Protein backbone atom coordinates (compact mmCIF):
# COMPACT_ATOMS: atom_id res chain seq x y z
CA UNK A 1 0.00 0.00 0.00
CA UNK A 2 1.49 3.34 -1.07
CA UNK A 3 1.84 5.89 1.68
CA UNK A 4 0.16 9.30 1.50
CA UNK A 5 0.90 12.48 3.50
CA UNK A 6 -0.89 11.57 6.75
CA UNK A 7 0.69 8.13 6.95
CA UNK A 8 4.11 9.54 6.12
CA UNK A 9 3.71 12.22 8.79
CA UNK A 10 2.80 9.60 11.40
CA UNK A 11 5.76 7.40 10.51
CA UNK A 12 8.15 10.37 10.66
CA UNK A 13 6.97 11.99 13.89
CA UNK A 14 5.08 9.43 15.96
CA UNK A 15 8.10 7.69 17.42
CA UNK A 16 7.69 7.65 21.20
CA UNK A 17 5.21 7.17 24.03
CA UNK A 18 1.50 7.31 23.11
CA UNK A 19 2.39 8.45 19.59
CA UNK A 20 4.53 5.34 19.04
CA UNK A 21 1.74 3.13 20.39
CA UNK A 22 -0.64 4.76 17.92
CA UNK A 23 1.67 3.83 15.05
CA UNK A 24 2.23 0.31 16.35
CA UNK A 25 -1.53 -0.23 16.74
CA UNK A 26 -2.23 1.14 13.26
CA UNK A 27 0.39 -1.12 11.68
CA UNK A 28 -0.99 -4.13 13.56
CA UNK A 29 -4.53 -3.25 12.46
CA UNK A 30 -3.40 -3.17 8.84
CA UNK A 31 -1.50 -6.46 9.30
CA UNK A 32 -4.55 -8.07 10.91
CA UNK A 33 -6.69 -7.29 7.87
CA UNK A 34 -3.99 -8.36 5.42
CA UNK A 35 -4.09 -11.82 7.02
CA UNK A 36 -7.77 -12.12 6.10
CA UNK A 37 -9.06 -11.64 9.65
CA UNK A 38 -12.04 -9.47 10.56
CA UNK A 39 -12.25 -6.45 12.85
CA UNK A 40 -14.85 -5.14 15.28
CA UNK A 41 -14.82 -1.43 16.07
CA UNK A 42 -16.59 -0.23 19.22
CA UNK A 43 -17.75 3.36 19.68
CA UNK A 44 -18.33 4.87 23.11
CA UNK A 45 -18.63 8.49 24.19
CA UNK A 46 -19.97 10.98 21.69
CA UNK A 47 -17.87 10.00 18.69
CA UNK A 48 -20.72 10.56 16.23
CA UNK A 49 -21.26 14.10 17.50
CA UNK A 50 -17.48 14.50 17.14
CA UNK A 51 -18.12 13.77 13.42
CA UNK A 52 -16.07 10.59 13.34
CA UNK A 53 -18.08 9.71 10.25
CA UNK A 54 -15.71 11.83 8.17
CA UNK A 55 -13.10 9.10 8.55
CA UNK A 56 -15.09 6.09 9.77
CA UNK A 57 -17.51 6.03 6.83
CA UNK A 58 -14.62 5.42 4.44
CA UNK A 59 -13.33 2.61 6.68
CA UNK A 60 -16.73 0.96 6.25
CA UNK A 61 -16.85 1.53 2.49
CA UNK A 62 -13.37 0.04 2.07
CA UNK A 63 -14.20 -3.03 4.20
CA UNK A 64 -11.74 -2.16 6.97
CA UNK A 65 -14.35 -2.97 9.63
CA UNK A 66 -16.74 -5.91 9.51
CA UNK A 67 -18.87 -5.40 12.63
CA UNK A 68 -19.57 -2.47 14.97
CA UNK A 69 -20.62 -2.17 18.59
CA UNK A 70 -21.83 1.24 19.69
CA UNK A 71 -23.93 3.00 22.26
CA UNK A 72 -27.46 4.01 21.36
CA UNK A 73 -26.26 7.62 21.42
CA UNK A 74 -23.67 7.00 18.70
CA UNK A 75 -26.23 5.07 16.65
CA UNK A 76 -28.62 8.01 16.55
CA UNK A 77 -26.28 11.01 16.76
CA UNK A 78 -24.61 10.30 13.43
CA UNK A 79 -28.06 10.52 11.80
CA UNK A 80 -28.91 13.64 13.80
CA UNK A 81 -25.76 15.30 12.49
CA UNK A 82 -26.75 14.23 8.98
CA UNK A 83 -30.15 15.94 9.13
CA UNK A 84 -29.58 18.91 11.47
CA UNK A 85 -25.91 19.92 11.20
CA UNK A 86 -26.54 23.62 10.50
CA UNK A 87 -28.54 23.90 13.74
CA UNK A 88 -25.72 22.60 15.95
CA UNK A 89 -23.86 25.21 18.00
CA UNK A 90 -20.31 25.10 19.29
CA UNK A 91 -19.54 26.52 22.70
CA UNK A 92 -15.73 26.81 22.77
CA UNK A 93 -15.82 28.44 26.23
CA UNK A 94 -17.87 25.59 27.74
CA UNK A 95 -15.56 25.38 30.76
CA UNK A 96 -16.63 28.90 31.76
CA UNK A 97 -20.38 28.19 31.77
CA UNK A 98 -22.27 28.50 35.01
CA UNK A 99 -25.64 26.96 35.92
CA UNK A 100 -27.56 29.97 34.53
CA UNK A 101 -25.80 29.76 31.17
CA UNK A 102 -26.47 26.02 31.02
CA UNK A 103 -30.16 26.67 31.80
CA UNK A 104 -30.30 29.22 28.98
CA UNK A 105 -29.08 26.53 26.55
CA UNK A 106 -31.80 24.18 27.81
CA UNK A 107 -34.47 26.83 27.24
CA UNK A 108 -33.25 27.20 23.66
CA UNK A 109 -33.55 23.44 23.12
CA UNK A 110 -29.79 22.94 22.95
CA UNK A 111 -28.43 19.84 24.69
CA UNK A 112 -24.69 20.26 25.31
CA UNK A 113 -22.07 17.58 24.70
CA UNK A 114 -18.81 19.20 25.89
CA UNK A 115 -18.34 22.02 23.34
CA UNK A 116 -21.15 21.05 20.96
CA UNK A 117 -24.89 21.56 21.42
CA UNK A 118 -27.37 19.21 19.74
CA UNK A 119 -30.60 20.99 18.71
CA UNK A 120 -33.55 19.09 20.17
CA UNK A 121 -36.27 20.19 17.74
CA UNK A 122 -34.30 19.77 14.51
CA UNK A 123 -32.42 16.62 15.57
CA UNK A 124 -34.47 14.53 18.01
CA UNK A 125 -37.97 15.52 16.92
CA UNK A 126 -37.17 15.44 13.21
CA UNK A 127 -36.27 11.77 13.53
CA UNK A 128 -39.05 10.93 15.98
CA UNK A 129 -42.00 11.20 13.64
CA UNK A 130 -40.40 9.02 10.99
CA UNK A 131 -38.96 6.34 13.28
CA UNK A 132 -42.29 6.03 15.12
CA UNK A 133 -44.00 5.16 11.83
CA UNK A 134 -41.51 2.31 11.33
CA UNK A 135 -41.94 1.08 14.91
CA UNK A 136 -45.73 1.15 14.61
CA UNK A 137 -45.75 -0.49 11.17
CA UNK A 138 -43.57 -3.36 12.44
CA UNK A 139 -45.77 -3.86 15.48
CA UNK A 140 -48.97 -3.88 13.40
CA UNK A 141 -47.43 -6.62 11.21
CA UNK A 142 -46.21 -8.62 14.20
CA UNK A 143 -42.57 -8.01 13.21
CA UNK A 144 -39.62 -7.39 15.54
CA UNK A 145 -36.27 -5.78 14.76
CA UNK A 146 -33.08 -4.62 16.46
CA UNK A 147 -32.60 -0.87 17.07
CA UNK A 148 -29.99 -0.60 14.31
CA UNK A 149 -32.27 -2.41 11.86
CA UNK A 150 -34.98 0.21 12.37
CA UNK A 151 -32.35 2.91 11.77
CA UNK A 152 -31.23 1.17 8.59
CA UNK A 153 -34.84 1.05 7.39
CA UNK A 154 -35.14 4.78 8.13
CA UNK A 155 -31.99 5.67 6.19
CA UNK A 156 -32.60 3.38 3.23
CA UNK A 157 -36.22 4.52 2.83
CA UNK A 158 -34.96 7.89 1.59
CA UNK A 159 -37.43 9.79 3.77
CA UNK A 160 -34.61 11.71 5.47
CA UNK A 161 -32.93 12.90 2.27
CA UNK A 162 -35.06 16.06 2.31
CA UNK A 163 -33.26 17.08 5.50
CA UNK A 164 -29.63 16.26 4.62
CA UNK A 165 -27.30 19.05 5.71
CA UNK A 166 -23.91 17.40 5.27
CA UNK A 167 -22.33 15.36 2.52
CA UNK A 168 -23.94 11.92 3.03
CA UNK A 169 -20.51 10.40 2.34
CA UNK A 170 -19.58 11.61 5.83
CA UNK A 171 -22.31 9.61 7.59
CA UNK A 172 -20.94 6.33 8.92
CA UNK A 173 -24.45 5.05 9.64
CA UNK A 174 -25.50 5.58 6.04
CA UNK A 175 -22.35 3.77 4.86
CA UNK A 176 -23.11 0.91 7.27
CA UNK A 177 -26.75 0.74 6.17
CA UNK A 178 -25.75 0.45 2.51
CA UNK A 179 -23.53 -2.53 3.39
CA UNK A 180 -26.01 -3.95 5.91
CA UNK A 181 -23.10 -4.12 8.36
CA UNK A 182 -23.94 -5.92 11.62
CA UNK A 183 -24.16 -3.54 14.57
CA UNK A 184 -24.44 -4.42 18.26
CA UNK A 185 -26.13 -1.74 20.40
CA UNK A 186 -26.04 -2.77 24.07
CA UNK A 187 -28.07 -0.66 26.46
CA UNK A 188 -29.94 1.05 23.62
CA UNK A 189 -32.65 2.03 26.11
CA UNK A 190 -30.22 4.61 27.51
CA UNK A 191 -30.36 6.66 24.28
CA UNK A 192 -32.75 9.46 23.35
CA UNK A 193 -34.58 7.24 20.85
CA UNK A 194 -34.66 4.51 23.48
CA UNK A 195 -36.27 6.95 25.93
CA UNK A 196 -38.78 7.98 23.26
CA UNK A 197 -39.63 4.34 22.51
CA UNK A 198 -40.14 3.72 26.23
CA UNK A 199 -42.50 6.71 26.41
CA UNK A 200 -44.66 5.23 23.64
CA UNK A 201 -44.75 1.94 25.57
CA UNK A 202 -45.85 3.76 28.73
CA UNK A 203 -48.62 5.49 26.74
CA UNK A 204 -49.77 2.13 25.39
CA UNK A 205 -48.98 3.02 21.78
CA UNK A 206 -46.20 0.43 21.37
CA UNK A 207 -45.16 -2.83 23.02
CA UNK A 208 -41.63 -3.37 24.38
CA UNK A 209 -41.48 -6.70 22.52
CA UNK A 210 -41.44 -4.90 19.14
CA UNK A 211 -37.81 -3.98 19.85
CA UNK A 212 -35.38 -6.87 20.07
CA UNK A 213 -33.49 -6.97 23.37
CA UNK A 214 -29.94 -6.92 24.67
CA UNK A 215 -29.99 -10.67 25.26
CA UNK A 216 -30.95 -11.14 21.63
CA UNK A 217 -28.04 -8.88 20.66
CA UNK A 218 -25.69 -11.12 22.63
CA UNK A 219 -26.99 -14.29 20.96
CA UNK A 220 -26.83 -12.55 17.56
CA UNK A 221 -23.20 -11.60 18.24
CA UNK A 222 -22.36 -15.12 19.44
CA UNK A 223 -23.70 -16.62 16.22
CA UNK A 224 -21.83 -14.02 14.16
CA UNK A 225 -18.58 -14.75 16.02
CA UNK A 226 -18.92 -18.50 15.50
CA UNK A 227 -19.41 -17.95 11.76
CA UNK A 228 -16.67 -15.35 11.28
CA UNK A 229 -13.86 -16.03 13.78
CA UNK A 230 -12.69 -19.22 12.02
CA UNK A 231 -9.46 -20.43 13.68
CA UNK A 232 -7.76 -17.10 14.20
CA UNK A 233 -10.39 -14.97 15.93
CA UNK A 234 -11.63 -11.42 15.29
CA UNK A 235 -9.88 -8.15 16.11
CA UNK A 236 -11.23 -5.72 18.69
CA UNK A 237 -10.64 -1.98 18.20
CA UNK A 238 -12.18 -0.11 21.12
CA UNK A 239 -12.78 3.64 21.10
CA UNK A 240 -13.41 4.74 24.68
CA UNK A 241 -14.69 2.52 27.48
CA UNK A 242 -18.08 1.58 28.79
CA UNK A 243 -20.74 -0.79 27.56
CA UNK A 244 -19.93 -0.44 23.86
CA UNK A 245 -16.72 -2.39 24.55
CA UNK A 246 -17.57 -4.28 27.74
CA UNK A 247 -20.64 -6.00 26.25
CA UNK A 248 -19.23 -7.51 23.03
CA UNK A 249 -15.82 -8.53 24.35
CA UNK A 250 -17.58 -10.95 26.72
CA UNK A 251 -18.88 -13.08 23.85
CA UNK A 252 -15.63 -15.07 23.69
CA UNK A 253 -15.59 -16.33 27.30
CA UNK A 254 -19.36 -16.83 27.08
CA UNK A 255 -18.92 -19.20 24.14
CA UNK A 256 -15.87 -20.93 25.58
CA UNK A 257 -17.03 -21.25 29.19
CA UNK A 258 -20.83 -21.07 29.30
CA UNK A 259 -21.51 -22.75 25.96
CA UNK A 260 -18.51 -25.05 26.55
CA UNK A 261 -17.25 -24.44 23.02
CA UNK A 262 -13.64 -24.97 24.03
CA UNK A 263 -12.21 -24.32 20.58
CA UNK A 264 -13.54 -20.75 20.45
CA UNK A 265 -10.62 -18.52 19.40
CA UNK A 266 -9.70 -15.52 21.52
CA UNK A 267 -9.97 -11.99 20.20
CA UNK A 268 -6.89 -11.88 18.01
CA UNK A 269 -6.06 -8.15 18.21
CA UNK A 270 -6.91 -5.61 20.88
CA UNK A 271 -6.51 -1.85 20.94
CA UNK A 272 -8.23 0.63 23.21
CA UNK A 273 -8.09 4.41 22.97
CA UNK A 274 -8.83 5.70 26.44
CA UNK A 275 -7.78 8.28 28.98
CA UNK A 276 -9.34 6.27 31.81
CA UNK A 277 -6.77 5.38 34.45
CA UNK A 278 -6.28 1.99 36.01
CA UNK A 279 -7.95 2.14 39.38
CA UNK A 280 -9.79 -0.05 41.85
CA UNK A 281 -12.38 -1.86 39.75
CA UNK A 282 -12.11 0.47 36.76
CA UNK A 283 -12.63 -1.89 33.84
CA UNK A 284 -12.40 0.89 31.25
CA UNK A 285 -8.94 1.71 32.56
CA UNK A 286 -7.78 -1.86 32.98
CA UNK A 287 -4.67 -2.85 31.04
CA UNK A 288 -5.20 -5.52 28.35
CA UNK A 289 -3.41 -8.22 30.34
CA UNK A 290 -6.31 -8.24 32.82
CA UNK A 291 -8.49 -9.50 29.98
CA UNK A 292 -6.32 -12.61 29.74
CA UNK A 293 -7.58 -13.67 33.17
CA UNK A 294 -11.17 -13.43 31.91
CA UNK A 295 -10.58 -15.58 28.85
CA UNK A 296 -10.96 -12.73 26.36
CA UNK A 297 -7.40 -12.34 25.06
CA UNK A 298 -4.58 -14.80 24.51
CA UNK A 299 -1.04 -14.24 25.78
CA UNK A 300 0.13 -13.70 22.19
CA UNK A 301 -2.70 -11.40 21.03
CA UNK A 302 -1.35 -7.99 19.91
CA UNK A 303 -2.41 -5.56 22.65
CA UNK A 304 -2.33 -1.77 22.72
CA UNK A 305 -3.63 1.01 24.96
CA UNK A 306 -3.33 4.55 23.64
CA UNK A 307 -3.90 6.90 26.55
CA UNK A 308 -5.12 9.92 24.66
CA UNK A 309 -8.13 11.70 23.19
CA UNK A 310 -10.07 9.42 20.83
CA UNK A 311 -11.21 12.38 18.72
CA UNK A 312 -7.54 12.93 17.85
CA UNK A 313 -6.29 9.35 17.74
CA UNK A 314 -9.07 7.46 15.91
CA UNK A 315 -9.06 9.57 12.71
CA UNK A 316 -5.28 9.27 12.51
CA UNK A 317 -5.34 5.47 12.86
CA UNK A 318 -8.15 5.23 10.31
CA UNK A 319 -6.18 7.42 7.90
CA UNK A 320 -3.14 5.16 8.34
CA UNK A 321 -5.16 1.99 7.80
CA UNK A 322 -6.64 3.57 4.66
CA UNK A 323 -3.18 4.55 3.43
CA UNK A 324 -4.03 8.23 3.34
Amino acid sequence: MSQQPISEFIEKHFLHFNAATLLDAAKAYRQHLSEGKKMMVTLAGAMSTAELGKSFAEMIRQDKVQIISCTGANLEEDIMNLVAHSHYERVPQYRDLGPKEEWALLERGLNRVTDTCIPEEEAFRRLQQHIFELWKSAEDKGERYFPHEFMYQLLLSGVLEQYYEIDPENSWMLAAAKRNLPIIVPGWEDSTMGNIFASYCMKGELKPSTMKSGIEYMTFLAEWYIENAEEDGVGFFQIGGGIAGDFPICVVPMLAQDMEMKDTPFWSYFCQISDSTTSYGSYSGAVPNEKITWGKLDTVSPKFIIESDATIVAPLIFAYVLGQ
Side-chain angles (χ1 to χ4, degrees):
M1 181 183 291
S2 61
Q3 300 288 62
Q4 296 298 314
I6 298 175
S7 297
E8 291 177 355
F9 180 89
I10 291 172
E11 290 198 343
K12 180 177 180 180
H13 296 285
F14 285 36
L15 304 177
H16 302 282
F17 317 136
N18 273 300
T21 306
L22 183 156
L23 178 57
D24 292 342
K27 285 181 175 179
Y29 191 135
R30 188 186 285 180
Q31 177 66 28
H32 180 87
L33 295 179
S34 72
E35 294 171 356
K37 291 180 276 192
K38 298 184 177 180
M39 184 70 75
M40 168 180 274
V41 173
T42 78
L43 304 178
M47 296 307 297
S48 289
T49 294
E51 298 186 68
L52 186 68
K54 289 189 172 185
S55 56
F56 193 41
E58 189 63 20
M59 289 283 285
I60 293 169
R61 283 190 289 271
Q62 292 198 27
D63 196 29
K64 306 298 186 184
V65 51
Q66 287 71 45
I67 185 169
I68 295 167
S69 173
C70 71
T71 57
N74 277 303
L75 186 77
E76 66 193 13
E77 287 176 11
D78 178 82
I79 305 175
M80 292 175 184
N81 181 60
L82 176 65
V83 302
H85 181 77
S86 68
H87 299 277
Y88 281 60
E89 287 191 25
R90 277 201 70 223
V91 186
Q93 74 283 12
Y94 67 92
R95 289 183 173 88
D96 300 329
L97 298 179
K100 291 183 179 179
E101 289 89 355
E102 302 279 22
W103 184 262
L105 291 174
L106 171 65
E107 290 187 318
R108 293 176 56 208
L110 294 172
N111 303 135
R112 185 171 68 82
V113 180
T114 311
D115 70 346
T116 303
C117 293
I118 302 175
E120 180 168 337
E121 193 62 33
E122 293 80 6
F124 303 146
R125 305 309 168 193
R126 187 168 285 178
L127 295 185
Q128 181 176 351
Q129 64 180 97
H130 298 295
I131 197 70
F132 173 75
E133 292 173 4
L134 292 174
W135 292 339
K136 184 61 176 170
S137 175
E139 181 162 304
D140 290 345
K141 292 185 241 181
E143 297 172 350
R144 305 177 64 243
Y145 297 100
F146 284 118
H148 78 277
E149 292 178 313
F150 278 115
M151 292 300 196
Y152 281 1
Q153 292 172 25
L154 181 65
L155 286 165
L156 297 177
S157 72
V159 70
L160 297 182
E161 291 179 8
Q162 60 185 310
Y163 307 121
Y164 285 3
E165 294 192 355
I166 65 169
D167 184 344
E169 291 287 290
N170 291 333
S171 166
W172 72 262
M173 271 293 292
L174 187 57
K178 289 179 177 179
R179 294 182 67 93
N180 195 27
L181 208 69
I183 301 183
I184 310 300
V185 192
W188 172 77
E189 300 81 1
D190 176 46
S191 67
T192 298
M193 289 300 131
N195 292 171
I196 290 171
F197 182 84
S199 74
Y200 284 120
C201 293
M202 292 182 71
K203 290 182 287 187
E205 296 181 42
L206 291 172
K207 298 175 183 176
S209 57
T210 299
M211 192 68 62
K212 289 190 175 181
S213 70
I215 293 297
E216 288 169 290
Y217 258 135
M218 180 59 81
T219 58
F220 170 80
L221 173 58
E223 291 167 359
W224 184 91
Y225 196 90
I226 291 168
E227 292 177 9
N228 291 271
E230 299 180 349
E231 296 180 359
D232 297 321
V234 175
F236 198 95
F237 187 85
Q238 181 174 349
I239 299 176
I243 195 171
D246 298 351
F247 182 97
I249 203 168
C250 293
V251 75
V252 167
M254 188 267 280
L255 288 171
Q257 299 169 19
D258 303 319
M259 290 296 293
E260 299 184 355
M261 300 173 67
K262 303 302 183 184
D263 294 332
T264 301
F266 295 102
W267 294 99
S268 52
Y269 164 102
F270 177 82
C271 176
Q272 181 177 3
I273 307 167
S274 175
D275 58 4
S276 177
T277 57
T278 302
S279 184
Y280 300 104
S282 170
Y283 186 70
S284 294
V287 295
N289 280 354
E290 184 176 300
K291 293 172 174 60
I292 295 174
T293 73
W294 289 89
K296 299 166 184 175
L297 299 178
D298 196 356
T299 56
V300 296
S301 304
K303 308 173 192 68
F304 309 94
I305 278 197
I306 306 165
E307 296 177 308
S308 187
D309 185 334
T311 62
I312 298 169
V313 172
L316 288 172
I317 290 183
F318 292 163
Y320 191 91
V321 172
L322 292 166
Q324 295 174 345

